[in-house]
Amino acid sequence: MYLLGTILIICGIAAAAVASTSYALVTRGNAAALAYGRIGTRATFGMVLAIVALIVYAFLARRYDIQYVYDYSSADLEFGFRMAAMWAGQPGSFVVWALWGLLAAQLLIRRTRHNEPYVLSVLMLLQAALLVFMLVRNPFVPYTDPSTGAAAAPADGKGLNELLHNPWMIIHPPILFVGYALMAVPFAFAIAGLWRRDYDGWARAALPWALAAWAFLGLALLLGGYWAYETLNWGGYWGWDPVENSSLVPWLTSTALVHTLLIQRTSGGMRRTNFALAILTYVLVFYATFLTRTGVLSSFSVHSFVAEGLKNIMTGTLAALALFSAGFLALRWRDIPSRPISDKLLSRDSFFVLMALGLIVIATVVAVGTSMPVISAIPGVGNALQGFFGAAFELDRGQNVDPSAPAFSDGRFGLVASFYHATVPPLAIILVLLMVVGPLLGWRDTNVRHLLRALRWPALAAVLVACLGLVLGARDPLPLAYIGLGAFAAGTNLLMIIRTLRSGWLRIGGYLAHVGLAVLLAGVVGSSFYATPELRLSLPQGQTISAYGYNFTFNDWKLNQQNRGVLDIDMARNGSSWKAAPNLYFNPRMGATMATPAIKSEFFQDVYVSPQEYQPAIDRNTAQLAVNDKREIGPYTITFLGFDAADAHGGSSGDIGARLLVTYEGQQTSVAPILRLVANETDPAKAIQRIPAELPGGKTVVFDDFNPLQRWVVVRVNGLDLPVDPAKAVITVSIKPGILLVWLGVVIGVLGGLIAVVRRTIEGRWQAGGQRARLPRGLGAFGRFVGSK
């Protein structure tokens, strides 16, 4: 399989190179090369489909003789997760990324007219790079025995990381890579525009793709946030983790790109800015991949891959991509005609520019914070920056992920969540303010009187919502500003939706996306600023403790159907009761304790139950002893000296004795209780006999359990009747109000983005003679859009 898979990858690289080269020849006047470009594009897609099929077969057939299958699968893995394990590691993720990019390439063939050779030459070159990464991290490399270095076929694999054993693993990564793949298309159109000196046509063609990439990447961020919220036990959906941030930054710049593309489409302005943003956004996608797949963040993020041979080639590719793109733009810079936008402040042009500027500033702040481990690794830079940032923010010197790891001494450090909490919210409030007024403005100018009239009802609604926030306990100025302005923005955009619906539902996409963002902000404010503190509870088994109006009763720790340990907890309030079953168990494959929260979702809030610790019942009549350990049980001090041959104490063959030194009232006595294995006994209760040993003081000691490999025993003294401490579950409980609005807001926003995709695609396809097409008002437009695919 290694040979076949490698041949397919090499053929895919060759086909992509042929396609890119052939399309480039078309741009030089060789019309015959167009057919070879199309054949190469389709052949590359076919090769990648074959690679996907081969990897899927390897996982389904349990081919543990392949290193990638061995690393991410096991015999007990369910069918769905065995399929999803394909993209659990670096090689598979590149396969999926390339697959979506090549699917987009098929949709571009014959649909981009004069742009086809330029756009697809660039796009296929990018796919070739992904296939080269796939070859370096070949998913078909055979498994080798680490002790001998010879090829081997293990009976079972290591299995999927428990944190990835989640339904969102099946959905989230493919959608993320759809977003990454689609981001390449506006980039390719931008390079094609510079190549052809077509400084307007590319923007019109790229807009639907930019919107689609924005929507899919936003949806991926939502799914990733929800996955973290319900799985990672860190109490939230966004921890400003560097890997999370690396995907957020290109999403922010793509948001800016969408707005500035709309300016160019309407008034012809922002041409240079749009080229720069299209290039920057895709460079940031590659930079995000560099951060997460080269190991540079492995000490600063719970998500990052470790270094696996890609650092040098990815660094070179990223540098080449950035330098070539920036250089090409610089070469054409003076040739790109500029057209001034409206000089009126109260115009949609001006507000879109301010919106884009605000998004770029926030993206820059997040990118700098995320890149700090890379920046501070530059010799002589880290120590100087530590003094600057350390004076105002908490620093991570490589110990947040693993507190037991030594702190970096070479100056490397990262910035934790407190940095983003202090910098991003004040900047983002400006964007919300722009979103309040911007939708009501005309493109070139606005009648102030009409504007104030339109603002009346949304302003009243915002005041009422802010007052409601005060009644509910909101007091801090920044959260109150978000609540009021968010309601204001939702109101003005709803007003525009009502007005725009008269012209057809396809025109409401942008306004609906703004409403979604306003709803999202309300959820973020409620679930972040006004979440209750995490209250730590120690629940003795069978007892009830109250917190935040709920009663919590710990029943037991037990194994569920997936053989995972769960804390069985009853929750009750006002006569209603629920079960909470947070996971808490030790995973031997990972060598770590797995903890997954239980979430009780209500309409206005979530009750977040996070497991911290399980303490088994403590029987004071028993003690677990390693060799030479000493424990006190009542008046006795017992030392375990080791295992003893049974016949030394008159026992029979197969008996196991435990040599104990017992100190009682200053006198030492040697005793040896025995475990006797009864041969041919079918009743498990009678198969083991415990023969006690007499103790001074009239008590007896029993040999209860043992581990011969780790050399420990459990002994019990009978007759003391000492108390038994019940088992305990230690949990933290917090209330997160408004969390539903977070998920609802993103869904609304993504829906608005997809509606905008349909609209801009139809407009682009129906352009004739340079005249803007009139959009149909009915739902039939969507059917025609889908059918034309």
Side-chain angles (χ1 to χ4, degrees):
M1 185 174 286
Y2 172 68
L3 181 61
L4 176 59
T6 304
I7 290 174
L8 287 173
I9 295 173
I10 293 173
C11 289
I13 295 171
V18 167
S20 181
T21 304
S22 299
Y23 275 125
L25 290 174
V26 175
T27 68
R28 304 288 294 178
N30 188 344
L34 180 63
Y36 294 101
R38 290 172 175 173
I39 291 171
T41 301
R42 293 187 173 115
T44 309
F45 185 49
M47 292 297 123
V48 171
L49 282 176
I51 292 168
V52 170
L54 199 59
I55 295 176
V56 169
Y57 163 75
F59 274 99
L60 294 182
R62 304 179 184 182
R63 292 288 303 271
Y64 303 122
D65 58 320
I66 298 172
Q67 185 70 48
Y68 190 53
V69 179
Y70 172 80
D71 286 340
Y72 294 100
S73 185
S74 59
D76 60 351
L77 201 60
E78 302 93 324
F79 175 82
F81 290 107
R82 196 174 297 129
M83 293 282 290
M86 169 185 165
W87 48 76
Q90 286 187 353
S93 63
F94 286 123
V95 174
V96 176
W97 187 354
L99 177 65
W100 295 132
L102 288 164
L103 181 59
Q106 309 312 304
L107 298 176
L108 288 167
I109 293 177
R110 298 181 184 275
R111 288 178 170 84
T112 49
R113 297 183 181 180
H114 303 299
N115 277 317
E116 180 183 339
Y118 300 89
V119 171
L120 283 170
S121 179
V122 175
L123 193 60
M124 292 308 296
L125 186 62
L126 296 175
Q127 306 315 305
L130 292 178
L131 289 169
V132 170
F133 297 157
M134 193 190 308
L135 182 64
V136 175
R137 291 289 298 124
N138 194 321
F140 303 105
V141 171
Y143 172 85
T144 55
D145 190 316
S147 59
T148 65
D156 200 1
K158 292 167 63 176
L160 192 64
N161 183 317
E162 283 295 310
L163 296 177
L164 303 180
H165 198 271
N166 184 285
W168 295 115
M169 173 63 186
I170 302 173
I171 305 170
H172 166 64
I175 292 178
L176 176 69
F177 288 116
V178 171
Y180 277 5
L182 293 181
M183 285 293 183
V185 180
F187 170 81
F189 271 110
I191 298 299
L194 294 172
W195 196 347
R196 293 186 62 205
R197 289 185 168 87
D198 175 14
Y199 302 126
D200 285 315
W202 80 272
R204 183 172 59 252
L207 180 57
W209 294 95
L211 283 164
W214 174 87
F216 275 102
L217 191 52
L219 181 59
L221 291 171
L222 161 72
L223 296 178
Y226 190 80
W227 185 357
Y229 179 67
E230 70 166 16
T231 302
L232 288 185
N233 200 43
W234 61 12
Y237 44 83
W238 194 263
W240 293 106
D241 181 90
V243 172
E244 290 179 318
N245 294 345
S246 66
S247 298
L248 174 65
V249 173
W251 183 82
L252 290 171
T253 59
S254 69
T255 308
L257 173 63
V258 166
H259 285 82
T260 53
L261 282 174
L262 288 172
I263 295 176
Q264 181 173 349
R265 182 182 177 87
T266 303
S267 62
M270 308 295 287
R271 290 188 178 99
R272 293 170 177 170
T273 300
N274 283 329
F275 279 116
L277 280 176
I279 291 170
L280 175 64
T281 298
Y282 193 66
V283 169
L284 286 171
V285 166
F286 246 88
Y287 182 60
T289 306
F290 164 80
L291 289 178
T292 56
R293 284 168 173 76
T294 58
V296 297
L297 296 179
S298 57
S299 298
F300 299 92
S301 170
V302 297
H303 298 89
S304 179
F305 291 102
V306 297
E308 291 182 319
L310 281 174
K311 186 174 182 178
N312 291 336
I313 189 171
M314 289 203 71
T315 302
T317 304
L318 176 62
L321 180 69
L323 291 174
F324 168 78
S325 305
F328 200 8
L329 177 58
L331 183 67
R332 292 281 197 262
W333 189 263
R334 292 187 177 180
D335 189 49
I336 301 172
S338 61
R339 178 178 296 178
I341 61 172
S342 172
D343 58 356
K344 304 290 186 180
L345 177 61
L346 290 179
S347 67
R348 194 172 293 192
D349 285 28
S350 299
F351 269 57
F352 272 24
V353 170
L354 293 173
M355 176 76 75
L357 183 61
L359 287 163
I360 293 169
V361 169
I362 294 174
T364 302
V365 170
V366 177
V368 168
T370 304
S371 304
M372 196 52 66
V374 179
I375 298 171
S376 61
I378 301 172
V381 173
N383 291 322
L385 290 178
Q386 277 194 22
F388 177 77
F389 284 97
F393 308 108
E394 180 185 354
L395 305 183
D396 172 18
R397 294 181 173 85
Q399 295 178 301
N400 271 25
V401 173
D402 183 6
S404 63
F408 287 120
S409 58
D410 58 359
R412 274 185 295 166
F413 70 96
L415 293 167
V416 297
S418 58
F419 166 77
Y420 304 100
H421 293 160
T423 55
V424 174
L427 293 171
I429 198 73
I430 300 172
L431 300 183
V432 183
L433 183 59
L434 294 171
M435 202 167 62
V436 170
V437 182
L440 299 174
L441 302 177
W443 279 107
R444 306 298 294 180
D445 199 0
T446 301
N447 185 305
V448 177
R449 184 177 177 182
H450 291 167
L451 174 65
L452 294 176
R453 183 182 303 166
L455 288 172
R456 288 178 302 170
W457 294 111
L460 178 60
V463 171
L464 293 176
V465 170
C467 291
L468 179 62
L470 285 169
V471 171
L472 294 176
R475 294 292 184 272
D476 300 318
L478 188 60
L480 267 177
Y482 269 110
I483 292 172
L485 290 176
F488 205 170
T492 55
N493 282 275
L494 284 171
L495 178 63
M496 289 304 299
I497 289 175
I498 294 170
R499 289 179 176 180
T500 308
L501 276 174
R502 301 168 187 167
S503 303
W505 66 276
L506 284 174
R507 299 180 185 276
I508 69 170
Y511 305 122
L512 191 62
H514 290 166
V515 171
L517 181 58
V519 173
L520 167 68
L521 288 173
V524 170
V525 169
S527 59
S528 301
F529 288 97
Y530 296 108
T532 63
E534 292 187 346
L535 187 60
R536 189 178 179 90
L537 303 180
S538 181
L539 304 174
Q541 189 171 5
Q543 298 184 28
T544 299
I545 294 179
S546 297
Y548 298 127
Y550 294 84
N551 295 324
F552 297 88
T553 305
F554 171 53
N555 299 316
D556 197 5
W557 180 92
K558 56 188 180 183
L559 296 177
N560 61 12
Q561 293 179 347
Q562 291 77 36
N563 208 33
R564 300 176 182 175
V566 298
L567 300 176
D568 182 7
I569 299 173
D570 287 333
M571 293 174 55
R573 186 181 70 168
N574 299 332
S576 300
S577 61
W578 310 271
K579 277 287 185 185
N583 288 2
L584 185 67
Y585 60 98
F586 181 79
N587 183 279
R589 282 179 173 169
M590 297 183 63
T593 297
M594 300 288 104
T596 302
I599 303 169
K600 172 66 177 69
S601 295
E602 300 176 353
F603 189 77
F604 292 107
Q605 63 184 24
D606 276 6
V607 184
Y608 199 88
V609 180
S610 176
Q612 303 298 313
E613 186 181 357
Y614 169 66
Q615 301 171 357
I618 300 174
D619 186 351
R620 298 185 182 276
N621 299 282
T622 67
Q624 179 175 311
L625 303 165
V627 176
N628 296 324
D629 272 358
K630 183 186 295 184
R631 296 285 189 275
E632 291 186 359
I633 301 179
Y636 300 100
T637 301
I638 300 176
T639 304
F640 174 46
L641 302 179
F643 297 105
D644 204 352
D647 55 8
H649 297 281
S652 60
S653 176
D655 287 357
I656 303 170
R659 289 189 292 117
L660 306 176
L661 180 64
V662 180
T663 302
Y664 176 73
E665 295 182 351
Q667 300 296 318
Q668 290 187 337
T669 307
S670 293
V671 297
I674 293 174
L675 271 181
R676 174 169 294 166
L677 306 178
V678 181
N680 301 321
E681 176 58 62
T682 58
D683 186 353
K686 300 177 181 179
I688 299 177
Q689 295 181 1
R690 292 172 174 82
I691 302 174
E694 296 291 333
L695 293 176
K699 313 301 181 185
T700 60
V701 61
V702 176
F703 184 3
D704 255 358
D705 198 3
F706 73 105
N707 186 317
L709 297 178
Q710 298 180 7
R711 296 179 62 78
W712 55 257
V713 297
V714 175
V715 297
R716 182 179 76 253
V717 177
N718 289 333
L720 289 177
D721 297 327
L722 297 176
V724 177
D725 294 343
K728 291 182 180 179
V730 180
I731 62 174
T732 60
V733 179
S734 61
I735 307 296
K736 302 186 181 300
I739 191 76
L740 179 63
L741 297 177
V742 174
W743 321 126
L744 181 62
V746 176
V747 171
I748 293 173
V750 170
L751 177 61
L754 294 177
I755 291 174
V757 170
V758 176
R759 172 189 175 179
R760 300 303 176 180
T761 302
I762 292 174
E763 286 181 340
R765 187 164 296 153
W766 288 0
Q767 287 284 341
Q771 298 298 316
R772 179 176 297 180
R774 297 183 62 184
L775 290 173
R777 300 185 180 187
L779 293 175
F782 182 73
R784 285 191 290 273
F785 166 74
V786 175
S788 64
K789 290 290 186 184

